[in-house]
Amino acid sequence: MIEDAPPLSASPSVTTALKHAPLGIAIFDSQMRYLAASRQYLTDQHLPADMPLIGRRHYDAFPEIPQKWRDLHARVLAEGVELHHEGDPYVDRDGRTEWIRWSMAPWRTDGGEIGGLVLYTEVVTANIQARLKLEAAEARYRAVFDQAAMGVARLTPTGAVLEANDAFCALLRRDRETLLGATLQNLMHPDSLDATMESAAKLLAGEAETCSAERRVLIPGGDLWIHLTASMVKVDGQPAYILAIISDISARKQAEDAQGRYQAQLRLLINELNHRVKNTLATVQSMASQTLRNEPDPIVAFEKFEARLLGLSRVHDILTRESWHGAELREVAERALQPFDEAGARVSIEGPSVWLQPGGALTMALTFHELATNALKYGALSNAAGRVRLGWTYDPEARALEVVWNEDGGPPVSPPTRKGFGSRLIERSLRGELKGEAVMDYRPEGLVCRLNARLPEAHEGGVLGQG
């Protein structure tokens, strides 16, 4: 039988060469009997270097060889094909798994017939394991890179985009094809460009390992605030690429800006309130001083002082309701004069809509109160027949306001022998708050008072446009 035929012998020179070959090499005859084997082959098989294999069948020496390998051997011997694999797992007799790079090819006799095969093996377990670890690491990196909720990109050391994940593209409102190759100069808002390039230069020079900052970037149709963290990755000690991670902080920046504006407005409002309180206290102090100085009867003085305070408080009610932004002239007049004309039949009010800032509203309220008080004591409201007409005109371009207080039907009027507190209060308030003047015309048929004022613009006279 063929199986019982003696094996061919390898020449001594071949045997000697195989012993010192750096690879695992084994030569078999057509019955898979060993003709020669290198020392490295025995070492790779965890066998003694001097173990005799010549003449033994491969499957007798290694009975654990799976059918897969037996089929491969048979194919090479039958078809004369060459086979190879870069890394095939092999479980040895001890249960160890080794990764083998192998190739096998037929050798032929002088007559051209297949005489057996030559098997080349190399244990590449370490290389395969390193490759698998690298692939696993790359897979983990890719999963983190692609699925990260924040925008992640790799940039060249000079700032050109090498790759970007979906979140990076979405944040910058650009598709990946547009972003690839784009540079920091293209992406950064001009306000952030210099600072960004300075940080990139420090990373490139090794002066910093990581930079973290808030930056503005350009997006189609506008710009966006981001938080940027950038790190330089080195390979063999040389800058390889920059890893950039960005997140959208526009909502926070908007909230911070709004908070800043609110705080600034609050500080200004507090300052304005302090100013208003000082002015009001000064007005009350002046009213008290003048009332008590000019009225010897304490009861009458108290009544006058109380009436003036009430007139002042009514306008404060309006201003408080309007958050001290101001008040309509008509409402100021109605509030100030209502106590003097409960039935609403003796005082008429006419004029266009005019918005007074807080200082002007207080001034006009005090003025109307003093005029009505004087009319009640000496003028048109001191009898049952008298009437008061209050009217005004306003030129928006010149911001010129003219108010006319006209009394008739009261007792005959004559000019006073001295200027009272009410007149001085009116004149002083108009000059200070409204840059105006008051002209009193004491006609026999009734007092006519003309008040001329220049209303301030919104930015004049304090934060709320008041003095």
Side-chain angles (χ1 to χ4, degrees), residues 220-434:
D223 58 79
L224 183 75
W225 274 101
I226 63 168
H227 183 273
L228 167 66
T229 300
S231 302
M232 179 65 74
V233 178
K234 296 183 178 180
V235 176
D236 297 331
Q238 298 299 317
Y241 61 87
I242 297 173
L243 183 64
I245 301 174
I246 64 174
S247 58
D248 185 354
I249 60 169
S250 295
R252 177 168 65 80
K253 294 295 290 186
Q254 291 172 358
E256 289 176 356
D257 290 344
Q259 182 69 10
R261 290 193 298 271
Y262 169 76
Q263 292 293 342
Q265 184 182 28
L266 183 61
R267 287 192 297 270
L268 294 173
L269 286 173
I270 291 174
N271 292 337
E272 190 66 29
L273 177 61
N274 290 334
H275 176 68
R276 279 294 132 215
V277 169
K278 289 179 181 178
N279 282 358
T280 301
L281 290 177
T283 300
V284 171
Q285 184 181 27
S286 176
M287 289 168 55
S289 175
Q290 292 289 342
T291 302
L292 296 176
R293 184 187 309 123
N294 296 307
E295 183 53 63
D297 187 335
I299 296 178
V300 175
F302 172 79
E303 291 175 348
K304 289 182 177 180
F305 181 60
E306 182 181 42
R308 285 166 176 159
L309 283 181
L310 288 174
L312 190 64
S313 70
R314 291 188 188 96
V315 183
H316 272 257
D317 290 340
I318 303 173
L319 294 174
T320 301
R321 186 192 68 203
E322 298 290 344
S323 301
W324 277 83
H325 290 299
E328 273 286 342
L329 176 56
R330 176 176 294 277
E331 187 172 9
V332 170
E334 290 174 349
R335 286 290 187 102
L337 299 177
Q338 189 267 339
F340 301 90
D341 183 25
E342 294 289 347
R346 304 186 64 187
V347 177
S348 64
I349 301 174
E350 294 182 0
S353 175
V354 178
W355 182 261
L356 296 176
Q357 294 172 12
L362 290 174
T363 295
M364 297 308 296
L366 291 174
T367 297
F368 294 150
H369 181 273
E370 293 303 323
L371 290 171
T373 300
N374 183 74
L376 185 64
K377 293 172 59 178
Y378 311 111
L381 301 181
S382 64
N383 61 21
R387 299 287 185 272
V388 173
R389 296 192 307 276
L390 175 63
W392 59 83
T393 59
Y394 179 61
D395 181 357
E397 291 187 4
R399 304 194 306 280
L401 175 67
E402 182 181 36
V403 179
V404 178
W405 174 278
N406 195 333
E407 300 180 20
D408 64 65
V413 174
S414 60
T417 57
R418 64 182 180 86
K419 186 176 293 186
F421 166 68
S423 298
R424 291 195 297 273
L425 175 64
I426 292 172
E427 291 174 354
R428 186 171 60 252
S429 297
L430 281 172
R431 283 197 304 269
E433 290 289 351
L434 297 173

Side-chain angles (χ1 to χ4, degrees), residues 155 163 257 266 307 410 448:
L155 313 177
E163 64 174 333
D257 290 344
L266 183 61
V448 176

Side-chain angles (χ1 to χ4, degrees), residues 33-80:
R33 290 175 294 195
Y34 281 94
L35 299 178
S38 67
R39 289 178 179 176
Q40 187 63 46
Y41 178 83
L42 294 172
T43 300
D44 290 345
Q45 302 296 331
H46 304 288
L47 297 175
D50 58 353
M51 180 177 176
L53 284 179
I54 306 304
R56 296 185 63 185
R57 293 184 80 244
H58 183 50
Y59 309 127
D60 294 335
F62 301 98
E64 72 277 5
I65 290 179
Q67 188 63 42
K68 164 192 169 182
W69 294 87
R70 298 170 189 260
D71 293 341
L72 292 172
H73 300 154
R75 184 182 173 194
V76 171
L77 293 172
E79 302 176 12

